[in-house]
Amino acid sequence: MFIGHYYHSIEAKGRLAIPVSFREELTSGGVVTWGLDGCLFLFPNSYWQKFSEKLASLSLTNQTARNLTRLLVQSASELDLDSQGRTLIPEHLRKQANLKKQVVVAGSLNRIEIWDQETYHAHLELIAQTINQSPDLINLDL
């Protein structure tokens, strides 16, 4: 499970160091792809396989399902960590998420999200305002 967030810098060549606490679940590899809300998603291989099966089971006649599959699968790139825990974020994905030098690597339970630092904080502020205005939108029944 991925929790917490970390501040990192992307190197000039597009390499990003994955936080040590996240690397353990990525020893068998992973996939980085287009995310939602302006970030990138990084999935461990084990979860990506299950997720891919779910995408493949969606109705081919459902346009939204086809588009989501295209978005996630066609932009995906296999993760390759070097000995220092760095991976190359492909240029097309860096552009899609508007990643500049400073990024946030954030855990989201079954995936990692990679955000431009400014975009991340603006998005969190928007989320906080929305939840504060309507705290009863989500019922977790714990």
Side-chain angles (χ1 to χ4, degrees):
M1 176 175 19
F2 300 106
I3 60 173
H5 70 277
Y6 303 86
Y7 295 94
H8 284 272
S9 298
I10 290 187
E11 298 176 0
K13 295 180 181 179
R15 292 185 302 190
L16 174 66
I18 302 300
V20 173
S21 63
F22 290 170
R23 291 182 206 164
E24 190 174 300
E25 293 191 50
L26 298 170
T27 54
S28 64
V31 173
V32 61
T33 190
W34 189 301
L36 304 174
D37 303 315
C39 70
L40 300 179
F41 289 162
L42 195 163
F43 297 101
N45 267 346
S46 57
Y47 187 81
W48 178 255
Q49 294 302 319
K50 294 174 195 171
F51 186 62
S52 296
E53 290 170 11
K54 287 181 182 181
L55 287 174
S57 71
L58 296 174
S59 173
L60 187 61
T61 60
N62 182 312
Q63 184 176 6
T64 302
R66 286 193 317 270
N67 288 338
L68 178 63
T69 300
R70 286 180 184 126
L71 185 74
L72 296 174
V73 175
Q74 294 176 7
S75 65
S77 180
E78 290 187 3
L79 175 78
D80 186 23
L81 291 178
D82 67 13
S83 61
Q84 295 176 328
R86 296 175 303 187
T87 189
L88 178 67
I89 305 297
E91 184 178 2
H92 71 279
L93 290 174
R94 292 193 315 264
K95 284 182 179 179
Q96 181 278 320
N98 196 29
L99 299 182
K100 300 176 199 79
K101 181 132 179 97
Q102 301 303 314
V103 299
V104 177
V105 181
S108 287
L109 300 178
N110 56 11
R111 70 180 181 279
I112 296 167
E113 295 181 350
I114 302 169
W115 291 83
D116 170 73
Q117 186 173 322
E118 290 178 22
T119 305
Y120 176 76
H121 288 288
H123 192 68
L124 283 185
E125 286 179 29
L126 179 64
I127 291 169
Q129 289 173 5
T130 303
I131 290 176
N132 286 335
Q133 292 171 1
S134 302
D136 58 338
L137 286 177
I138 300 174
N139 183 0
L140 295 177
D141 291 329
L142 296 177

